[in-house]
Amino acid sequence: MASTAATRAAAGASKVVKPIFSRDLDEAKRRVRELYRAWYREIPSTVALFQLDINVRTGRDKVREMFDKNKHVNDPRVIDMLVIKGKMELQETIHVWKQKTHIMRFFNESQEPRPKDFLSKFYSGHDP
Amino acid sequence: MAARVLQHCVRTLRLSSGPLALRAAVVPAAPLHRALSFYSADRRTRCVNRFPSLDVLCRQYGHLPPLTLESIEERVLYVLKLYDKINPEKLQATSHFMKDLGLDSLDQVEIIMAMEDEFGFEIPDGEAEKLMTPDEIVQYIADKKDIYE
């Protein structure tokens, strides 16, 4: 009884999980930086290739915004998963498997911002 | 400088073998005239028919001016002043990007990419993440380009 409790405590203290790509946080952050570099260099040719109506600066700010949204993540596996998803997006953008509309979806232009304070929610009908 | 290069080329051309009649019109410098007159007597009679145009033997390469530590530092600070997230008044050679200038790690990546574009060679990410002040960047570039005093 005491031995099983001890082993459970020891197991709960430090869980070792199988990593996706990187073994620690530093390696995961390195992957993030590599992905950021690739996206940063890709933006000018994206804007030219898809004939987007935005500046290169706007595009790069949007890339920075998407990276900053996940700035708070600390788990290497979650970071790896996000990097994988970012790489998939990058591949689709480079090979022009996407179209202009898919890229412009990042900019959320046609979506109205959701109401945050009570009165706006009241006027729009209390949609939670 | 171009005249000196031309002199050197023509001098080597003289020593190998070459048509003097073509070159004599082009070369302006005085020491070369002496060399010309020394070799002209025997060369002209022998070689003017066999090698009609040896312009291809004299290659003239363009090259960038040699890098010095001061020029590297100047260029690095110039690129940093152009970056819009850095205040140019607060920028020193020893100012740390994260602590003094308040930049992000992604900002530092952008700065290193700007340095790559400026100096024309790749900086791998393992070494790039350690470069945190303009001084370190200058030292790294001087290491890679073999410039020392």
Side-chain angles (χ1 to χ4, degrees), chain A residues 30 33-34 36-37 64, chain B residues 107 110 116 123 125 129:
Chain A
R30 189 172 300 179
R33 280 194 287 264
E34 291 284 354
Y36 184 72
R37 273 195 199 217
R64 173 63 74 95
Chain B
D107 289 325
E110 280 186 25
E116 280 183 7
I123 303 177
D125 191 56
E129 61 186 356

Side-chain angles (χ1 to χ4, degrees), chain A residues 3 5-6 8 15 19 23 32 34 38 40 43 46 48 54 57 65 71 76-77 79 88 92 96 105 115 119 122 125:
Chain A
S3 61
R8 234 182 297 131
K15 263 173 117 174
R23 275 160 286 186
V32 172
E34 291 284 354
Y40 190 89
I43 293 289
T46 301
I54 56 170
R57 185 174 293 224
E65 192 189 308
K71 211 197 311 215
R77 286 159 51 91
I79 295 178
M88 294 200 296
E92 288 165 9
V96 198
R105 255 170 230 177
L119 213 53
F122 182 75

